[in-house]
Amino acid sequence: MEIKALAQRFSICKLADFSGLKELNGCWFMARTDEEISLVCGEADVPPSALVRSDGWRGFRIEGMLDFSLVGVLAKLSAVLAQSGVGIFAVSTYNTDYILTKADDYPQALEALKRAGYRVI
């Protein structure tokens, strides 16, 4: 399985509403539930109205479209990273999964995945 390292630096934010949102660049993810609005975006794109933000995240994606019948893909990746002491923030889209780690842990995360047999590109 191939892992694509992303160059972008991310922030994970909690928003009160959608005010202050502008056009976002690069990869970004938004989720709205009955309890909150969360935004993962480039550090430079965090809206000034963000209630809370956590900067300094880096990410990678699992290359290729993942069939919904595949079981345990994210669990295996997160287990490898947990065994290396790396915490994650995971985001899934229709096609694939993305994993973010704190920037300080990013090189260690990629190295752990390589040792586990994943191809990092």
Side-chain angles (χ1 to χ4, degrees):
M1 185 172 293
E2 288 186 343
I3 305 293
K4 169 75 174 179
L6 304 175
Q8 184 175 356
R9 291 182 63 92
F10 293 93
S11 290
I12 301 171
C13 313
K14 183 176 181 178
L15 307 179
D17 55 38
F18 296 106
S19 66
L21 269 180
K22 58 181 180 176
E23 186 172 333
L24 300 170
N25 298 302
C27 288
W28 59 274
F29 309 91
M30 184 176 291
R32 180 180 180 180
T33 70
D34 60 331
E35 296 181 342
E36 68 178 300
I37 301 170
S38 294
L39 173 66
V40 177
C41 64
E43 289 179 336
D45 292 327
V46 174
S49 61
L51 299 172
V52 181
R53 69 185 280 173
S54 176
D55 295 332
W57 292 84
R58 297 282 312 275
F60 54 88
R61 99 174 135 236
I62 301 165
E63 285 294 271
M65 287 183 22
L66 300 177
D67 189 285
F68 289 132
S69 66
L70 293 175
V71 176
V73 173
L74 192 56
K76 289 175 186 172
L77 288 166
S78 63
V80 166
L81 297 174
Q83 290 170 357
S84 295
V86 175
I88 68 166
F89 184 92
V91 181
S92 296
T93 65
Y94 188 89
N95 287 342
T96 194
D97 295 316
Y98 293 77
I99 295 178
L100 281 69
T101 70
K102 290 300 280 187
D104 290 345
D105 294 332
Y106 195 64
Q108 178 183 341
L110 294 179
E111 189 55 40
L113 292 170
K114 287 178 189 175
R115 282 194 312 269
Y118 294 95
R119 183 168 176 252
V120 179
I121 55 174

